[in-house]
Amino acid sequence: MAVSSTFARVFPSPFECRSDPDFSGAPRPENASSGRKIGAGGVRSYGGGGMSSSLILRFPPNFVRQLSTKARRNCSNIGVAQVVAASWSNNPAAAAAPAAKAVDAASAALAPVEVATGVEEGVLVEESCCNGVKKIESLSDEKPYSFLSCDGSVAIHAGERLGRGVVSDALTTPIFNTSAYFFKTTAELIDFKEKRRASFEYGRYGNYTTVVAEEKISALEGAESTLILASGMTASTVMLLALVPAGGHIVTTTDCYRKTRIFIETILPKMGITATVIDPADIEGLESALNKNKVTLFFTESPTNPFLRCVDIELVSKLCHDKGALVCIDGTFATPLNQKALSLGADIVLHSATKYIGGHNDVIAGCISGSEKLISAVRNLHHILGGLLNPNAAYLIIRGMKTLHLRIQQQNSTGLRMAEILEAHPKVIRVYYPGLPSHPEHHLAKRQMTGFGGVVSFEVDGDLLKTAKFVDALKIPYIAPSFGGCESIVDQPAIMSYWDLCQSDRAKFGILDNLVRFSFGVEDFEDLKADVLQALETI
C-alpha cells in the first residue's frame, strides 16, 4: 500500500488502544455463520476472536486522508479502525508490528464491502455513514445495564454508553439533522427493501438520535419498545386510533387532561368509538362496563390531572385482561421513577415527555412504551400520520433524562413537605396530594409508587379574584401551563384551562374558582416555603 511507508515514518508506533470495562459481566453470544460476536451492549466484534466491544481506539489525526481512495470511499475512519483492531485481536503478536502492516491488513479486509445484492459470506465490515458514525444493530436481548441498581444510572447510560445505536467517539449522542438516508447502490436499496440491511430510509420513520431517547425510556419502564412522538397529545391520539377499532368501546376516568377528554368525547365518536367514563376508584363501574360492552381499552392517568387521583393498576389490569381488554396508563405525573405501570400489569404506559422526562420546560414530546407487538402497531400508524419528534428535541430529551433522578428526588421531597404545610395552613381549605394520608388513594399510592411527585393541587379560602391575588403575590413560580420542569410553575385552572366554560360547567369537572395547581421545581425548599407563606398572607 503506497501510504504505508509514510504512515510508519510519521507515526512510528502502532495505534494505541485502551480497554474500557466490560459492563455486562455476561458471556457474549456468538453467531458462527457470520463470524461475528455480539457484545451485551450490542457492539459488534469481527472475525475469529474479533474486536472486543470493550476496545476503544485512538487513531492518529489525518488517518483517513492517508488511506487509499477506495478505502475512503467504502468506510469511515471508525470502520477502518475496527478492522485494524480485529486484525490485532486475531494475532496478538501483530500488535507490536509496524503500523504500516496494520493499515495494509485493513485495506485488504475492506475489499468485500462492494458486494452484490444479498448476504455474502465473509463480509465483516458494516456499512457506515460518510460522517464517520457507524450504524450497528439494536441492543441484544441481554440488557447491558442489568448490573446497575439505580434508575438514575440507567437514565444516564441506557442507549448510549451501554449500547449506542451508533458508534462515535463523541461523549454525547450526536444530533442527526437529516430528512432522509441514502443508499450507495441500488443493490443496497434492494437489500433494505428485502430486510437484509437496516436503515430508516426516510426521516419520518426514525432517527438515530431519537432511538437513543426511546431506548432510555424503555430501559426505565422495563419495556420491549418505546415510540417517542411530537407531543403527549400526539402519543395519546395515535395510540387510541391505532389500538381501538372502528365501533370499539373504551373505558376512561372522570379526572383527566382536558384535551384528552375532548378527543374522546368529540373525535372518537366520528369513528363509532364509544366510551364509558368512571371515577378512578370505581371498580364496580369498571366491571359493569366490561360486562356490558366489548371493551378494547381502558385508558386513564394515574395520578390524574389535576386532582392526582390514583388507579389500582394491578387490579384494573387483571379485570381488563380477563375480558380481553388492554390497559394504558398515562404516568406523566408519576414519571418512570416513581411508578412502574408495566410491572404492575399495564400493557402500555404513556408520558407527556414535555413534563418531568424533559424536565427543563424547553421541549415538547410524548412517548408510549410496551410490548414490541403493541408499539409496532402504533408505530405503523404514526408513520402514516406523522407527528414525529425533531432530532434536536430528542437531544433535549436525552439531556434532560440524565438529571431526571436528581430532579425527581428534589421535587418529591419539596412536594410532600409543601403539601403538609399547605394542609395545615388556615387559609387553605383542601389539598390534593397522594402522599398525604387525607388523600382518598393514599394507601394505594404508597403501594404502587415510590414517590409522589412535585405537583400539589389545593383550594385556597377565597373566590376567583382572591385566588388570583394569591397567585399574583407569588414571586418564584411562573404563571404558566405545564409542570415538571426545573422552574416552579403555578396556575389557576379555572382561568388557565377552563376559562371558556362558565362557572357551573367548570364545577361539573370539579374545577372550582379557588383551585390552584402548583408544580414545584428544583429551587431551594426554604425559598419556596417562604414565598408560598408570604403569598397566603396577602389574602
Side-chain angles (χ1 to χ4, degrees), residues 166-234:
V166 291
V167 174
S168 170
D169 56 1
L171 180 63
T172 59
T173 294
I175 301 174
F176 290 87
N177 277 321
T178 184
S179 59
Y181 303 83
F182 74 91
F183 301 88
K184 293 192 289 289
T185 65
T186 301
E188 282 190 356
L189 174 58
I190 295 172
D191 278 347
F192 163 71
K193 292 296 184 181
E194 296 184 354
K195 303 189 185 303
R196 291 188 294 270
R197 183 180 189 275
S199 173
F200 290 120
E201 181 184 10
Y202 186 56
R204 193 169 75 248
Y205 306 146
N207 179 280
Y208 295 121
T209 310
T210 303
V211 165
V212 172
E214 291 175 340
E215 290 183 350
K216 281 187 182 296
I217 296 167
S218 288
L220 289 177
E221 292 289 5
E224 289 181 358
S225 183
T226 291
L227 173 63
I228 194 163
L229 305 95
S231 69
M233 274 307 300
T234 303

Side-chain angles (χ1 to χ4, degrees), residues 249 251 283-298 315-327 347:
H249 191 87
V251 178
I283 298 301
E284 291 184 0
L286 173 61
E287 290 178 312
S288 175
L290 290 169
N291 290 329
K292 292 179 180 178
N293 307 280
K294 185 172 177 55
V295 177
T296 305
L297 179 73
F298 174 65
L315 178 58
V316 300
S317 296
K318 182 181 183 305
L319 294 173
C320 290
H321 292 163
D322 287 346
K323 295 293 185 177
L326 298 172
V327 174
D347 301 286

